[in-house]
Amino acid sequence: MTLVDSLISRTADRNAGRIAIRYRDKALSYGELSQSVTATARALRALELERQDRVAVFLEKRFETISALFGAATAGGVFVPVNPLLKPEQIGHILRDCNVRVLITSTPRFEPLRDVLAQCPDLRHVVLVDPAPTPAFAHAPLIAWNDFLAGATTTPTHPVIDQDMAAILYTSGSTGKPKGVVLSHRNLVAGAASVCQYLENTPEDRILSVLPLSFDYGLSQLTTAFTVGASVTLLNYLLPRDVIVAVARGGITGLAAVPPLWIQLAELDWPAAAAQSLRYLTNSGGRMPRPTVDALRRKLPHTKAFLMYGLTEAFRSTYLPPDELDRRPDSIGKAIPNAEIMVVRPDGTPSAPNEPGELVHRGVHVSLGYWNDPDKTAERFKPVPGQPAGIPVTEIAVWSGDTVRADEDGFLYFVGRRDEMIKTSGYRVSPTEVEEVVYATGLVGEVVAVGAPHPVLGECVVVIATPPAGKPWQADALLAACKRDLPAFMVPAAIHRRDTLPRNANGKIDRAQLAKEHAVTAPQGGI
């Protein structure tokens, strides 16, 4: 049995001096990281963290972030990485939704959260990683990181098996607030092992961590490295040029990014040191445009490109081997090791070659469902199609909601999404979440948010709204409110005014028609 936190201790036992993490001009060996993770776990137990209690980590990437995530798992708890780009109300929803007991953050990040944290009745402790003074917080004790570690207990950590929860990652749903995808130790460990297999990772790899750790693709850069005893360089992304500089300076061998970043990186010059060290690159979170792939291959002729498809509910699903790029540049490949990917009709029967169908993922990577949401879980997690009738216990698969087709050789091609999610900058954005913020301004009558094609972002958010009854249209104020209350990746690229919104036969706003209209409308302001 392998637990996610043992990925670190296992390498520490074999080679304690090997570098695990680099951050700025400092490094932690596996032995030092293992000790830090253990100390954090004991400190959490001293706070009376119970088995499977949730620990939220709201930090930029730094040494304490890694210790907090894996320390929570070591203690027998569940870590909840919170995207640093989220706004206070969104963070409050996450903390309330999964009943977070301990929040680990910094003073600058804590201060804007005071009001929303006061509305989190299950929160018992707030740990601040920096020593900066801050006024007392009446709703939960504030503990400085050093004092937190100094209070560590020798109380044994809670017993855990690989089917237990290890993490909850929040991803936007097609309606409403973000949903928490519950991942077991087994999910995380098996996923990392699959990726290591086809990327052929070794202890000599140096992986650059650019993506948020709240994103399963970003978190997997850590678990992949720790699986083989490789090192991870932490980078809090600033500009595309910073990524290339980090690759060159750090002798980076593996780089994962989403299409918007790859598009920008493909336009820049890569120094010889970067081109020489980078062994592979990976893409997920959306389809990478073919011109971008071609440009990267020209600039990085010795770098293997792995194009992948995945969903948080089942980690990674497919990858295209680099030697297939020339023959199938638009393909998302075949199933990753130890997974089966099916393409099925609505009745669950297999689609014929080149017949579009829904992508269904079965296997060890299938997560435990959505936290505290049985209805949404039942919609997405359903029995594997075609199971033998004699098996009394039903196996559950993830029905992705995405339409794909498989060619005669079994290579998959993405067709489209069946739901209304907007996939922008590698994020899945809920239209309803954007609409709620727009409605709260009081500056609109009705509003719909849809996705429109964008040459860099993949899709961008477009808002279509009517003026409030009897009041003037205030587009500038509306956009300013969106910038204030939404993360940058959710801010509309265009806001369009309409006097009325189309409706379908049921009297509901016709989202499909609006999405179709704006699919051919370039997001050039339109305010």
Side-chain angles (χ1 to χ4, degrees), residues 32-336:
E32 291 168 329
L33 179 58
S34 182
Q35 291 174 2
S36 179
V37 167
T38 299
T40 304
R42 290 176 175 171
L44 287 168
R45 288 290 287 120
L47 298 184
E48 299 182 348
L49 187 80
E50 296 298 330
R51 186 171 183 263
Q52 305 285 266
D53 273 353
R54 273 68 66 198
V55 177
V57 182
F58 179 49
L59 287 169
E60 70 279 12
K61 280 172 277 190
R62 52 193 290 172
F63 292 139
E64 294 90 345
T65 307
I66 313 305
S67 296
L69 295 174
F70 289 85
T74 301
V78 177
F79 62 84
V80 185
V82 180
N83 192 327
L85 296 178
L86 296 185
K87 301 293 185 178
E89 284 302 325
Q90 297 166 311
I91 297 165
H93 162 72
I94 290 173
L95 269 56
R96 289 189 297 271
D97 185 64
C98 67
N99 318 95
V100 163
R101 293 290 188 180
V102 179
L103 170 64
I104 299 177
T105 187
S106 62
T107 300
R109 294 185 181 279
F110 164 75
E111 290 298 340
L113 297 180
R114 284 179 176 270
D115 290 343
V116 297
L117 294 183
Q119 303 167 29
C120 298
D122 297 298
L123 185 65
R124 296 291 181 266
H125 301 278
V126 177
V127 179
L128 302 175
V129 299
D130 50 356
T134 186
F137 183 53
H139 300 277
L142 299 178
I143 312 168
W145 181 257
N146 289 339
D147 295 334
F148 166 66
L149 295 179
T153 179
T154 57
T155 303
T157 55
H158 296 292
V160 175
I161 66 171
D162 65 355
Q163 276 294 87
D164 284 331
M165 290 191 295
I168 302 178
L169 304 186
Y170 274 80
T171 179
S172 291
S174 57
T175 59
K177 301 290 186 180
K179 304 188 298 294
V181 178
V182 183
L183 301 172
S184 68
H185 287 263
R186 189 182 183 199
N187 292 148
L188 293 171
V189 171
S194 292
V195 171
C196 286
Q197 183 175 334
Y198 65 79
L199 293 183
E200 299 179 340
N201 290 107
T202 74
E204 305 309 314
D205 275 319
R206 290 188 175 192
I207 298 173
L208 185 61
S209 172
V210 176
L211 302 168
L213 301 181
S214 56
F215 185 12
D216 65 307
Y217 190 26
L219 181 63
S220 73
Q221 304 312 302
L222 297 180
T223 55
T224 297
F226 296 160
T227 295
V228 297
S231 69
V232 180
T233 297
L234 305 179
L235 180 66
N236 292 299
Y237 170 69
L238 298 173
L239 297 169
R241 173 63 63 188
D242 298 316
V243 175
I244 296 178
V245 170
V247 171
R249 287 180 178 173
I252 298 300
T253 64
L255 177 59
V258 292
L261 178 53
W262 282 126
I263 291 169
Q264 296 176 77
L265 292 175
E267 296 173 348
L268 299 176
D269 292 328
W270 287 71
Q276 185 176 10
S277 72
L278 195 62
R279 182 175 67 82
Y280 70 86
L281 63 85
T282 67
N283 175 75
S284 192
R287 181 173 172 268
M288 184 142 54
R290 189 184 302 185
T292 300
V293 176
D294 294 340
L296 287 168
R297 295 177 74 192
R298 286 193 302 270
K299 296 184 177 187
L300 302 169
H302 306 298
T303 302
K304 294 182 178 181
F306 292 82
L307 307 185
M308 307 188 299
Y309 163 94
L311 58 162
T312 306
E313 292 84 352
F315 189 70
R316 203 72 56 243
S317 294
T318 70
Y319 80 100
L320 182 69
D323 58 7
E324 291 287 346
L325 263 175
D326 290 328
R327 284 178 289 183
R328 315 170 196 272
D330 297 322
S331 174
I332 59 174
K334 292 185 176 182
I336 65 172

Side-chain angles (χ1 to χ4, degrees), residues 419-439:
D419 60 19
E420 298 163 348
M421 293 298 299
I422 303 168
K423 201 155 193 175
T424 179
S425 299
Y427 293 97
R428 289 169 54 186
V429 172
S430 163
T432 301
E433 195 170 2
V434 176
E435 291 160 9
E436 287 176 351
V437 169
V438 174
Y439 273 125

Side-chain angles (χ1 to χ4, degrees), residues 434 438 447-450 461-465 478 482 492 494-497 518:
V434 176
V438 174
V447 62
V448 167
V450 299
V461 179
V462 173
V463 162
I464 307 101
L478 183 56
C482 289
I495 299 176
H496 298 284
R497 170 184 172 170
H518 289 277

